[in-house]
Amino acid sequence: MKISLSWLREHLRTDKSASEIARILTDAGLEVGAIESTGVAIPKVVAARILESVQHPNADRLSVCKVDDGSGAPRQIVCGAKNYKVGDIVPLAQPGAVMPGDFKIKVGKLRGVESEGMMCSSKELGLGEGADGLLILSPETRVGTPLSELFPAEEVFEIEITPNRPDWLGHHGVAREAAAFGCGELIGITSPPVAAKENPAVASISAPEAASLYSIRRIDGVKVGTSPEWLRKRLESVGLRSINNIVDVTNFVMLETAQPLHAFDAAKIDGALTVRFANHGESFTALDGKEYTLSVKDPVIADTKGAQAVAGITGGIVSGVSESTISLLLESAVFEPSVIRRSIRNLGISTDSSYRFERGVDARGALDASTRATALIVELAGGTPAPELIIAGSPNASRILALRGDSVRSLLGITIDDTAIETLLTKLGLKKVEAGFEIPSWRNDLTREIDLIEEVARLQGIGNIPSLVRGIPSHSSEADRSYDFARGLRRRLAGMGFHEARSGTLTGSLRQADFSTGAVVTVRNPMGEEHSTLRASLIPGLLEAVTRNLRHGATAVRLFEIGRVYRQEEPQERTFAGFLLTGRSLPENWRGEGSRPLDLFDLKGILEALGDCTREITFRPATHARLPLALEIVIAGKPAGILGLLSLADTREATVGGHQGGLVVAELDLALLQEAVGTAFKEASRFGALPKFPAVRRDLALLLDTSISYSAVEHAVLGAKEELLSGITPFDVFSDPKGEKVPAGKKSLAIALTFLHPDRTLTAVEVNDALTRIVARLREAAGAEIRG
């Protein structure tokens, strides 16, 4: 929406600059996107009178004109426009002028005839599209006048209008809002009062759902002609072209008051003008010459001959105003926005009028706009208006909204008394009455108490409302704790080099049954085969993800997924975490060192390290159809999931040629892991300075039953709780089935124990005493014997 600053100042008495007004409007909610400068500031462009026009000897579409530009000698101009006549005054770009687009005017020949300049259109001067052909200036324009004097520079606001504020679609409405926010004093529009009466023989409404008010004012004895310069400049400043004095007045009042108007040629209307819906298949030719086929949902203004206008959108060419018009029927109405929007979509027509009607217009302002336009038409085109305004329907009754001061103070968190609230709202045109506030007719958006509180906030200034903590924190719920735990797990796994995968809950993977501990839940009415079952395991989705990654060139993949699984025998959904490893432990290097294929023990170690809860997560051998090497994950003594190496057949199916290494997968119940770890993971280890004193290493060779796992040995050593012990590392294990070197049923396990004190060097006595206690613990907890 373009708002001319000079036009705005006719409705707003202010001494503020354009930038200050733009800031105030933006703070009020009318966002000023840009401030443009219009007008013509091109040297050597002047007003010139056409003295003569003859056909070009070598071109059918060109004419050769003689023009007077005030220089004392006529100039010869070759022109292609057809909308002028001899005697018209038009803009002339003389040789040396530089037009928009860096187009330089010079003397030259067109089809063999010399041309000493160029007569210009509105578009060529940067004044907007305008009518086709040359820009015809007012007959009173003095020849030789620079166009910079006729079209002085003017500042125009480009404003973003919200759909709920159609009152801002006119200069007066913008001025009213600016005045309410302290930008100046509003200058009202004064028009002589006029009586109104109903007369169905002139105007009627047969479709009340399409219009609530329809008015007609007859004006006889008008003379249609060119608009005066001031009116043309007003329209051109906001991008509208001048047509004639009657149409220009209706556009001017629309841009001033936001109320669209339409003028019919009274001589072309037969009978009463009626608001009705079109008949099925009824044809209509618009002002632009296009013919439309109407439907029963399109509202029209019709006489006895048929539709003369599509209500609220466009007039018809048959009844339009022309140079021969001497009597007018001036229409001003209120149409239902939803009906107008529907007709816009049906017909594919959008106009300045429909843009306002589809948002809603001021019902009481419609009659004032008719009076304002009538006075301007009489002033510019002469004529005698009918003494009465004929109306059908009626404006809506005034609305009153209650407003509680305590609600304003409580919701906004400010200290303000009821008198101050009334003062603020009165600035917007609201009137305090006993039951609350009477809403002005132009504020259709105010329908609830909260709307009035919002207006108080706008006027008070959002930036002036202090920030207060009003909320009461709620206690953490089980859902909150589960969410925080899952987020912490994601961060921990990302730190271990994993990437998160996401698969759909609905799936059609044939592998779901292979990795589910129960029957798969099927969808009763699936969208397709690929969405026929609910996910029973996360592992099939991870296998599909690793296949895509390997096909795109990845060599080492670490994936995890956290999501719900659904199993037939379990009435509740459960959240699981799935894991997948494949590839090598380190990238390849030129020495070929330090890299090996990732295996089951890598993922086992990662699972043990989750949450630093090695005492809670254990593993025991398991049998699984798809995992030839499988371990059951046990958390706090409860079965929690599965860990294993995928079979060779399934690995070949999931991977691509050339990939080396197996696929290690795991899946565990997140709720059981959370029970073991607690509500959150421990903080990452903090690193300190390197030890200043040397460590002491002692090696032990243990003789154990083959059934004793290394984890049991490690737990036994750590269970001794020796403060000086800083590390334990296994470095050898073997057994002898023949019983020659190691008794049958036994195995030898060699471990290295490291002892360290941060503040001094350890003595042999201290280390030996600690070692003795650890050995005793191993004998007691693991049944270990020390080999000689």
Side-chain angles (χ1 to χ4, degrees):
M1 173 70 185
K2 293 183 181 295
I3 295 293
S4 164
L5 181 58
S6 62
W7 194 349
L8 186 68
R9 291 185 188 277
E10 293 183 2
H11 299 270
L12 182 69
R13 189 174 291 110
T14 180
D15 57 359
K16 297 187 181 299
S17 65
S19 58
E20 290 177 305
I21 296 174
R23 179 186 56 78
I24 293 173
L25 290 177
T26 300
D27 291 343
L30 291 84
E31 183 181 354
V32 179
I35 303 177
E36 302 176 354
S37 294
T38 64
V40 178
I42 308 174
K44 293 185 174 294
V45 179
V46 299
R49 187 186 303 277
I50 300 175
L51 304 175
E52 176 186 319
S53 178
V54 297
Q55 180 65 45
H56 192 291
N58 302 321
D60 295 338
R61 297 184 179 182
L62 298 178
S63 302
V64 180
C65 302
K66 296 289 186 179
V67 300
D68 177 11
D69 63 354
S71 61
R75 291 181 181 272
Q76 179 173 283
I77 307 294
V78 177
C79 178
K82 301 296 182 184
N83 67 318
Y84 66 88
K85 61 181 182 295
V86 173
D88 283 345
I89 297 180
V90 299
L92 174 69
Q94 299 170 329
V98 180
M99 308 299 290
D102 199 29
F103 177 59
K104 298 178 181 179
I105 303 299
K106 56 185 178 181
V107 177
K109 291 186 177 182
L110 292 176
R111 301 296 294 272
V113 176
E114 187 175 85
S115 180
E116 301 175 278
M118 181 180 74
M119 295 189 290
C120 306
S121 65
S122 295
K123 183 177 181 180
E124 290 166 335
L125 293 169
L127 294 174
E129 290 296 330
D132 293 335
L134 301 179
L135 172 61
I136 308 299
L137 302 175
S138 170
E140 290 79 24
T141 305
R142 179 175 56 84
V143 171
T145 303
L147 237 64
S148 58
E149 296 181 11
L150 301 177
F151 297 92
E154 183 173 6
E155 292 172 303
V156 176
F157 295 154
E158 187 68 45
I159 298 181
E160 298 291 336
I161 305 295
T162 56
N164 66 322
R165 293 301 302 271
D167 56 306
W168 289 343
L169 293 171
H171 284 71
H172 188 73
V174 173
R176 182 168 51 213
E177 198 76 8
F181 281 82
C183 196
E185 180 184 352
L186 180 67
I187 302 173
I189 301 175
T190 57
S191 298
V194 61
K197 72 172 186 178
E198 295 186 3
N199 185 353
V202 176
S204 64
I205 299 175
S206 64
E209 62 271 36
S212 59
L213 177 67
Y214 189 74
S215 72
I216 289 293
R217 183 82 178 272
R218 187 180 180 97
I219 307 174
D220 294 317
V222 300
K223 180 175 177 55
V224 179
T226 303
S227 295
E229 185 176 346
W230 70 266
L231 178 55
R232 295 166 61 180
K233 286 183 177 179
R234 279 282 171 259
L235 298 179
E236 289 166 354
S237 68
V238 293
L240 260 66
R241 64 184 178 89
S242 174
I243 298 176
N244 58 53
N245 50 2
I246 304 300
V247 176
D248 289 355
V249 165
T250 61
N251 286 333
F252 175 84
V253 174
M254 176 186 70
L255 294 171
E256 182 180 67
T257 66
Q259 172 63 46
L261 304 166
H262 182 66
F264 297 95
D265 188 332
K268 299 174 183 177
I269 300 298
D270 186 9
L273 286 172
T274 302
V275 182
R276 63 170 173 83
F277 283 107
N279 300 318
H280 180 69
E282 186 173 1
S283 62
F284 169 77
T285 304
L287 287 169
D288 59 5
K290 294 182 180 179
E291 186 172 344
Y292 297 89
T293 301
L294 307 177
S295 72
V296 294
K297 295 183 179 180
D298 296 318
V300 297
I301 311 300
D303 62 1
T304 57
K305 295 182 291 186
Q308 299 299 332
V310 178
I313 299 179
T314 182
I317 195 170
V318 173
S319 58
V321 173
S322 63
E323 292 183 357
S324 62
T325 300
I326 57 175
S327 294
L328 303 175
L329 295 177
L330 182 64
E331 168 196 286
S332 183
V334 178
F335 298 112
E336 176 59 35
S338 61
V339 174
I340 300 301
R341 284 194 294 269
R342 182 177 61 196
S343 190
I344 290 172
R345 290 194 301 270
N346 289 345
L347 300 176
I349 309 175
S350 181
T351 61
D352 289 329
S353 294
S354 68
Y355 183 76
R356 287 161 174 80
F357 278 123
E358 68 174 323
R359 286 160 172 76
V361 296
D362 177 6
R364 297 183 182 276
L367 303 182
D368 294 337
S370 177
T371 304
R372 168 75 165 154
T374 299
L376 287 173
I377 288 174
V378 171
E379 176 186 343
L380 303 181
T384 303
E388 295 173 325
L389 181 67
I390 307 302
I391 64 170
S394 61
N396 297 328
S398 298
R399 292 176 292 113
I400 296 177
L401 290 180
L403 178 63
R404 296 164 293 177
D406 289 341
S407 296
V408 176
R409 290 182 281 272
S410 174
L411 191 60
L412 299 183
I414 59 176
T415 301
I416 184 172
D417 57 35
D418 293 351
T419 302
I421 294 173
E422 179 182 347
T423 301
L424 290 176
L425 293 178
T426 302
K427 293 180 179 181
L428 295 175
L430 280 72
K431 182 180 179 182
K432 184 70 173 72
V433 296
E434 184 177 351
F437 285 90
E438 183 177 341
I439 309 302
S441 58
W442 62 83
R443 290 303 301 272
N444 294 326
D445 60 307
L446 302 180
T447 59
R448 304 169 298 168
E449 182 184 52
I450 191 64
D451 296 331
L452 298 185
I453 296 176
E454 181 182 358
E455 294 303 295
V456 173
R458 284 203 309 135
L459 290 162
Q460 182 76 6
I462 301 297
N464 297 326
I465 298 178
S467 299
L468 299 175
V469 178
R470 293 278 185 179
I472 301 176
S474 60
H475 293 290
S476 176
S477 66
E478 185 60 35
D480 294 330
R481 289 188 286 272
S482 297
Y483 174 82
D484 292 341
F485 179 79
R487 183 175 60 176
L489 178 59
R490 286 185 171 94
R491 290 177 175 173
R492 197 173 186 87
L493 291 171
M496 295 178 177
F498 280 82
H499 294 277
E500 185 172 6
R502 293 289 181 90
S503 60
T505 300
L506 288 172
T507 180
S509 175
L510 299 176
R511 293 176 171 172
Q512 288 296 325
D514 295 338
F515 293 94
S516 173
T517 57
V520 176
V521 180
T522 59
V523 179
R524 182 173 297 176
N525 186 23
M527 293 182 291
E529 184 63 29
E530 295 182 355
H531 303 86
S532 59
T533 62
L534 289 175
R535 181 174 58 193
S537 171
L538 299 175
I539 293 176
L542 292 173
L543 292 176
E544 293 177 3
V546 76
T547 299
R548 289 192 295 271
N549 278 271
L550 294 175
R551 286 177 177 170
H552 282 78
T555 57
V557 181
R558 298 188 183 197
L559 296 177
F560 78 93
E561 180 172 8
I562 298 175
R564 298 288 182 91
V565 297
Y566 310 83
R567 293 171 180 173
Q568 190 74 50
E569 71 280 3
E570 297 177 3
Q572 292 184 340
E573 306 168 4
R574 300 187 67 84
T575 302
F576 271 61
F579 307 85
L580 183 146
L581 288 179
T582 188
R584 303 190 68 82
S585 60
L586 294 173
E588 295 183 13
N589 61 76
W590 66 275
R591 300 178 66 182
E593 297 176 356
S595 179
R596 58 175 177 76
L598 294 169
D599 57 24
L600 182 140
F601 294 99
D602 290 293
L603 188 50
K604 177 177 176 290
I606 289 171
L607 295 178
E608 288 179 336
L610 289 179
D612 296 328
C613 55
T614 55
R615 299 179 188 274
E616 301 289 346
I617 299 181
T618 58
F619 302 86
R620 59 191 178 201
T623 302
H624 195 283
R626 295 291 181 179
L627 304 173
L629 181 59
L631 296 174
E632 184 179 37
I633 303 172
V634 180
I635 299 180
K638 300 177 183 178
I642 193 74
L643 162 66
L645 182 67
L646 200 67
S647 68
L648 290 177
D650 289 336
T651 301
R652 284 193 295 268
E653 182 181 346
T655 59
V656 294
H659 178 72
Q660 297 179 355
L663 291 177
V664 186
V665 296
E667 187 173 46
L668 61 86
D669 191 322
L670 209 60
L672 293 178
L673 179 63
Q674 183 178 350
E675 289 179 10
V677 174
T679 56
F681 288 95
K682 293 182 179 179
E683 293 185 4
S685 300
R686 296 183 179 275
F687 294 93
L690 292 173
K692 297 180 180 179
F693 300 93
V696 178
R697 170 173 167 162
R698 291 287 190 268
D699 294 344
L700 289 178
L702 306 177
L703 189 64
L704 303 163
D705 291 339
T706 55
S707 61
I708 302 299
S709 65
Y710 168 73
S711 61
V713 173
E714 187 176 74
H715 289 164
V717 172
L718 296 176
K721 298 181 180 179
E722 289 295 330
E723 295 182 359
L724 299 179
L725 181 67
S726 64
I728 173 173
T729 306
F731 63 88
D732 186 44
V733 60
F734 73 92
S735 60
D736 185 359
K738 297 180 180 180
E740 296 176 356
K741 296 182 180 180
V742 176
K746 298 286 186 176
K747 64 180 177 181
S748 175
L749 174 66
I751 58 175
L753 303 178
T754 304
F755 298 89
L756 179 69
H757 196 288
D759 300 324
R760 58 183 173 82
T761 301
L762 292 174
T763 65
V765 174
E766 289 175 313
V767 174
N768 292 335
D769 288 345
L771 188 62
T772 300
R773 290 189 290 269
I774 291 174
V775 169
R777 176 67 179 171
L778 285 169
R779 287 193 176 105
E780 176 186 352
E785 297 179 15
I786 305 301
R787 295 183 66 206

